[in-house]
Amino acid sequence: MADQVSFVILVPMVYLAFAVLLAGIGVRIGRVLVSPRHPSTLRLFPARRAAGVAALQDTFLMPQVRRHASAFWACLLLFHVSFLLLILGHLDLLPWTRLRPADSKHMLGWGAVGVGVTLPAFYFLLRRMRGPVREISTLGDYLLLLLLVFVLLSGDMMSWANSWSENGFVMTKQDFGAYLASLARFEFANPRDLLPGSHYIVVVIHVFLANLFLMLLPFTKVMHTFFALPLNRLRRG
Amino acid sequence: MENALRERLRELFAGRLSAEMRLYLDTCARCGVCIEACHVYASLPETRYTAVARAETIRRIFRRYFKLEGRIFPWLGEVLPLDDPALEKVYETAYTCTGCRRCMTYCPFGIDTQMIQGIAKLLLIGADREPKLLTMLADMSIAKGETITESKENFELAMRNLEGEVIEKWRGEAGKEAIPVGVQGADILYVALAGKHSIVPAAAIMNAAGENWSLSYFEAVNFGAFVGNPAKTREISQRIIQEARTLGVREVAICECGTAYRVMKYQTGEQPFRVISFVELIDRYLEQGRIRIDPRQLQGRVTYHDPCQMARNGGIFEEPRRILRRLTQDFVEMQPNRAENWCCGGGGGLVAMGEQEFRMKSARVKAEQMKATGAAVMATACENCHTQLSDLNEHYGLGMRVAFLSALVADALVPREPEAGVAARPSDGLRRAES
């Protein structure tokens, strides 16, 4: 029974999560695209000559946050840069991508990337528990952050154990690569055959939480990933 | 609340869901960076007075009626059904926000809270709960447009009665009207407010510049924008647009009224004339040497309040400063200033509605900012701001003089230097020195 549940989580649910993610994002973006345009400018002044460049700066460097909440800004920047590296690190697990040598035992960053996202995520959670930010927060904000924290922590457990200890988890980068490659090829192979080791349950938990996160993403504020740039473009005119 | 009304409000809401509005409503991360941005929160630190909390009221209604997740997970506490208590909350969010958009300079996404409050105001209109005074003022503006033929004569007579006051400031050319109206082919159509303070100094300045101008029959202020009624906003603007087209003017100069300027400049679409602020016109006259001013006329330290709708929402930052630096050597900036200046606290219809107690309490931070300059004169270029700053000045005992830029310039007008080889015009010798 446990094996069947694990299989469902590690294979069909992953496909379902990506399907919901892509369809959800498509619907959300599509709804914006088909809505009528506001008839007049919504820009703020002073105007910058290169409005597009200014919007890119606003989106990726967040100067407004740096000016008014510098500690938060530092954590945001660390989180977002690390998250990008995390995505690259997961892609690097696939056998046909070569960001690091194929025989490398470890993920990109040797576990540091995970720390780069996890610590700021804890900061975000703590920040939300105090002061006026607490008063503007909803149950959904906490649940989403907690889900993210647990996805990251379970990922960190796998990564750190392999990176930092000779006697760590016995699953290697190549093992994970074989599992992801089987998913990418729609082979529906039993992941237990590809991922040996006693901490298989950690992998199952990590993938389950990640699936949930991906499925919820289009229906949450995480959609700012796609909307931040067009919004900043509006502000810059 | 009856279902029919609820459905009507839902339809009104849906009518405002442009692509931009969807982005604004969908994206807030509730990071709280904007909390410190609002002058109301800075003066009265209650969460309900933050930009995010105000916008959240509207977002919760949005999620309840327009989002799948709001229907599936209402228990997450992120929805607000449309009922009587909700509308009370909507009223509070709409009319404690001055629409200054200072929060946009804090938000990492640049979410426009004023735009979101436009929905709040529209819902209140739909539920017949908007401030009736604002609607009445908007209706009066529209009625004036409809009955202009009958009221033209009275308007012209009133202007004739004001001409003496214009001539006191600047005697124009012999035989030329001090306040011309209905001038076909005028270069400038000046749109004033109802009140001689908005007409007399401007007339003196334009006459001093030898401008070919005409005074609009209509007042610039757009109460349709204050009450958040897009149809009325359009109708009110349309009167001026029609007049400018009929006269064939090159430029429409909007008096010192921030909202009027922003609506005409940025919200009326392409027109065959250019829209400028009267402040820009004064700056142009000074740059071109068409008027001269005596800096000795203005005594004491001077500071300038950037009206939100003209500065961060309209792009006029340097013109007033150039004018003031010609008027005085003792100019000091407010801190913060320009795009980050604190709102005066009187926008969004609050001044027109009265709301004295709330305006004074919620703009304490503005009064402190004014006081910190040590200035004797507080110049500004917006009617709303002028009223609010004057009230703050009195309420907090700041001992300042609050003045319009145009009034300061008109009081300091002096004859131009005659150009080399060109004799001064006959009227140049009869200037305000006589007064």
Side-chain angles (χ1 to χ4, degrees), chain B residues 292-298 326-327 406-415 432:
Chain B
R292 282 185 67 225
I293 46 181
D294 178 3
R296 289 166 302 181
Q297 294 286 326
L298 187 54
R326 286 176 190 264
L327 275 168
S406 61
L408 295 176
V409 171
D411 286 345
L413 284 171
V414 289
R432 49 169 278 109

mmCIF file of all heavy atoms in Angstrom, chain B residues 292-298 326-327 406-415 432:
data_model
loop_
_atom_site.group_PDB
_atom_site.id
_atom_site.type_symbol
_atom_site.label_atom_id
_atom_site.label_comp_id
_atom_site.label_asym_id
_atom_site.label_seq_id
_atom_site.Cartn_x
_atom_site.Cartn_y
_atom_site.Cartn_z
ATOM 1 N N ARG B 292 8.864 89.469 -16.170
ATOM 2 C CA ARG B 292 9.968 89.617 -15.215
ATOM 3 C C ARG B 292 9.379 89.738 -13.819
ATOM 4 O O ARG B 292 8.282 90.280 -13.643
ATOM 5 C CB ARG B 292 10.778 90.873 -15.523
ATOM 6 C CG ARG B 292 11.733 90.697 -16.713
ATOM 7 C CD ARG B 292 12.584 91.924 -16.869
ATOM 8 N NE ARG B 292 13.500 92.115 -15.763
ATOM 9 C CZ ARG B 292 13.703 93.293 -15.157
ATOM 10 N NH1 ARG B 292 13.057 94.360 -15.545
ATOM 11 N NH2 ARG B 292 14.564 93.398 -14.152
ATOM 12 N N ILE B 293 10.113 89.248 -12.838
ATOM 13 C CA ILE B 293 9.605 89.357 -11.468
ATOM 14 C C ILE B 293 10.689 89.925 -10.563
ATOM 15 O O ILE B 293 11.891 89.727 -10.800
ATOM 16 C CB ILE B 293 9.107 88.001 -10.926
ATOM 17 C CG1 ILE B 293 10.101 86.872 -11.205
ATOM 18 C CG2 ILE B 293 7.761 87.661 -11.511
ATOM 19 C CD1 ILE B 293 9.634 85.520 -10.696
ATOM 20 N N ASP B 294 10.227 90.613 -9.554
ATOM 21 C CA ASP B 294 11.129 91.253 -8.604
ATOM 22 C C ASP B 294 11.286 90.355 -7.380
ATOM 23 O O ASP B 294 10.334 90.166 -6.625
ATOM 24 C CB ASP B 294 10.520 92.615 -8.207
ATOM 25 C CG ASP B 294 11.380 93.334 -7.176
ATOM 26 O OD1 ASP B 294 12.458 92.799 -6.820
ATOM 27 O OD2 ASP B 294 10.969 94.416 -6.723
ATOM 28 N N PRO B 295 12.466 89.809 -7.169
ATOM 29 C CA PRO B 295 12.642 88.871 -6.054
ATOM 30 C C PRO B 295 12.511 89.535 -4.686
ATOM 31 O O PRO B 295 12.380 88.848 -3.684
ATOM 32 C CB PRO B 295 14.053 88.315 -6.286
ATOM 33 C CG PRO B 295 14.727 89.285 -7.177
ATOM 34 C CD PRO B 295 13.683 90.002 -7.949
ATOM 35 N N ARG B 296 12.546 90.848 -4.648
ATOM 36 C CA ARG B 296 12.466 91.525 -3.344
ATOM 37 C C ARG B 296 11.043 91.565 -2.793
ATOM 38 O O ARG B 296 10.819 91.901 -1.647
ATOM 39 C CB ARG B 296 13.005 92.951 -3.470
ATOM 40 C CG ARG B 296 14.514 93.000 -3.672
ATOM 41 C CD ARG B 296 14.941 94.351 -4.116
ATOM 42 N NE ARG B 296 14.263 94.746 -5.356
ATOM 43 C CZ ARG B 296 14.457 95.867 -5.999
ATOM 44 N NH1 ARG B 296 15.316 96.752 -5.552
ATOM 45 N NH2 ARG B 296 13.809 96.151 -7.113
ATOM 46 N N GLN B 297 10.104 91.221 -3.666
ATOM 47 C CA GLN B 297 8.704 91.277 -3.223
ATOM 48 C C GLN B 297 8.370 90.195 -2.208
ATOM 49 O O GLN B 297 7.458 90.346 -1.416
ATOM 50 C CB GLN B 297 7.768 91.101 -4.433
ATOM 51 C CG GLN B 297 7.838 92.224 -5.441
ATOM 52 C CD GLN B 297 7.139 93.475 -4.930
ATOM 53 O OE1 GLN B 297 6.159 93.403 -4.228
ATOM 54 N NE2 GLN B 297 7.701 94.632 -5.290
ATOM 55 N N LEU B 298 9.085 89.113 -2.263
ATOM 56 C CA LEU B 298 8.748 87.968 -1.420
ATOM 57 C C LEU B 298 9.707 87.905 -0.232
ATOM 58 O O LEU B 298 10.910 87.714 -0.401
ATOM 59 C CB LEU B 298 8.834 86.684 -2.257
ATOM 60 C CG LEU B 298 8.363 85.397 -1.606
ATOM 61 C CD1 LEU B 298 6.948 85.514 -1.069
ATOM 62 C CD2 LEU B 298 8.430 84.251 -2.603
ATOM 63 N N ARG B 326 13.558 82.148 -8.823
ATOM 64 C CA ARG B 326 13.585 83.518 -9.370
ATOM 65 C C ARG B 326 12.881 84.487 -8.421
ATOM 66 O O ARG B 326 13.104 85.681 -8.483
ATOM 67 C CB ARG B 326 12.883 83.557 -10.722
ATOM 68 C CG ARG B 326 13.677 82.923 -11.851
ATOM 69 C CD ARG B 326 12.831 82.941 -13.109
ATOM 70 N NE ARG B 326 13.405 82.163 -14.186
ATOM 71 C CZ ARG B 326 14.146 82.681 -15.159
ATOM 72 N NH1 ARG B 326 14.417 83.959 -15.158
ATOM 73 N NH2 ARG B 326 14.614 81.912 -16.118
ATOM 74 N N LEU B 327 12.008 83.924 -7.567
ATOM 75 C CA LEU B 327 11.248 84.781 -6.657
ATOM 76 C C LEU B 327 11.989 85.044 -5.349
ATOM 77 O O LEU B 327 11.731 86.031 -4.680
ATOM 78 C CB LEU B 327 9.906 84.117 -6.313
ATOM 79 C CG LEU B 327 8.746 84.337 -7.275
ATOM 80 C CD1 LEU B 327 7.599 83.393 -6.947
ATOM 81 C CD2 LEU B 327 8.255 85.779 -7.214
ATOM 82 N N SER B 406 1.005 81.192 -8.533
ATOM 83 C CA SER B 406 0.562 82.244 -9.457
ATOM 84 C C SER B 406 0.393 83.563 -8.715
ATOM 85 O O SER B 406 0.742 84.628 -9.239
ATOM 86 C CB SER B 406 -0.749 81.850 -10.125
ATOM 87 O OG SER B 406 -1.753 81.676 -9.158
ATOM 88 N N ALA B 407 -0.108 83.506 -7.477
ATOM 89 C CA ALA B 407 -0.299 84.738 -6.711
ATOM 90 C C ALA B 407 1.046 85.368 -6.381
ATOM 91 O O ALA B 407 1.212 86.592 -6.468
ATOM 92 C CB ALA B 407 -1.077 84.430 -5.443
ATOM 93 N N LEU B 408 2.021 84.531 -6.013
ATOM 94 C CA LEU B 408 3.353 85.049 -5.687
ATOM 95 C C LEU B 408 3.973 85.720 -6.902
ATOM 96 O O LEU B 408 4.588 86.781 -6.810
ATOM 97 C CB LEU B 408 4.261 83.918 -5.185
ATOM 98 C CG LEU B 408 3.857 83.248 -3.862
ATOM 99 C CD1 LEU B 408 4.795 82.086 -3.547
ATOM 100 C CD2 LEU B 408 3.870 84.257 -2.718
ATOM 101 N N VAL B 409 3.802 85.085 -8.056
ATOM 102 C CA VAL B 409 4.385 85.648 -9.292
ATOM 103 C C VAL B 409 3.651 86.925 -9.668
ATOM 104 O O VAL B 409 4.279 87.947 -9.993
ATOM 105 C CB VAL B 409 4.315 84.612 -10.441
ATOM 106 C CG1 VAL B 409 4.700 85.224 -11.772
ATOM 107 C CG2 VAL B 409 5.220 83.426 -10.129
ATOM 108 N N ALA B 410 2.329 86.913 -9.596
ATOM 109 C CA ALA B 410 1.559 88.104 -10.000
ATOM 110 C C ALA B 410 1.908 89.294 -9.115
ATOM 111 O O ALA B 410 1.987 90.427 -9.593
ATOM 112 C CB ALA B 410 0.066 87.799 -9.927
ATOM 113 N N ASP B 411 2.144 89.025 -7.844
ATOM 114 C CA ASP B 411 2.485 90.119 -6.924
ATOM 115 C C ASP B 411 3.885 90.669 -7.171
ATOM 116 O O ASP B 411 4.210 91.755 -6.705
ATOM 117 C CB ASP B 411 2.386 89.635 -5.470
ATOM 118 C CG ASP B 411 0.945 89.478 -5.037
ATOM 119 O OD1 ASP B 411 0.058 90.001 -5.742
ATOM 120 O OD2 ASP B 411 0.697 88.815 -4.009
ATOM 121 N N ALA B 412 4.711 89.897 -7.850
ATOM 122 C CA ALA B 412 6.105 90.321 -8.055
ATOM 123 C C ALA B 412 6.376 90.761 -9.490
ATOM 124 O O ALA B 412 7.530 90.983 -9.864
ATOM 125 C CB ALA B 412 7.038 89.169 -7.683
ATOM 126 N N LEU B 413 5.342 90.894 -10.306
ATOM 127 C CA LEU B 413 5.546 91.273 -11.713
ATOM 128 C C LEU B 413 6.153 92.667 -11.820
ATOM 129 O O LEU B 413 5.726 93.595 -11.133
ATOM 130 C CB LEU B 413 4.208 91.267 -12.462
ATOM 131 C CG LEU B 413 3.629 89.900 -12.840
ATOM 132 C CD1 LEU B 413 2.204 90.071 -13.365
ATOM 133 C CD2 LEU B 413 4.498 89.215 -13.884
ATOM 134 N N VAL B 414 7.136 92.807 -12.679
ATOM 135 C CA VAL B 414 7.710 94.135 -12.968
ATOM 136 C C VAL B 414 7.832 94.260 -14.484
ATOM 137 O O VAL B 414 7.862 93.252 -15.202
ATOM 138 C CB VAL B 414 9.106 94.327 -12.310
ATOM 139 C CG1 VAL B 414 8.980 94.464 -10.815
ATOM 140 C CG2 VAL B 414 10.034 93.182 -12.672
ATOM 141 N N PRO B 415 7.935 95.501 -14.983
ATOM 142 C CA PRO B 415 8.033 95.685 -16.444
ATOM 143 C C PRO B 415 9.247 94.972 -17.013
ATOM 144 O O PRO B 415 10.286 94.846 -16.360
ATOM 145 C CB PRO B 415 8.159 97.193 -16.601
ATOM 146 C CG PRO B 415 7.613 97.756 -15.351
ATOM 147 C CD PRO B 415 7.902 96.773 -14.270
ATOM 148 N N ARG B 432 2.492 97.751 -12.382
ATOM 149 C CA ARG B 432 2.007 97.686 -11.023
ATOM 150 C C ARG B 432 2.649 98.697 -10.083
ATOM 151 O O ARG B 432 2.211 98.900 -8.966
ATOM 152 C CB ARG B 432 2.223 96.284 -10.445
ATOM 153 C CG ARG B 432 3.604 95.745 -10.648
ATOM 154 C CD ARG B 432 3.835 94.499 -9.847
ATOM 155 N NE ARG B 432 4.179 94.870 -8.472
ATOM 156 C CZ ARG B 432 3.394 94.695 -7.449
ATOM 157 N NH1 ARG B 432 2.230 94.160 -7.596
ATOM 158 N NH2 ARG B 432 3.762 95.048 -6.243
#
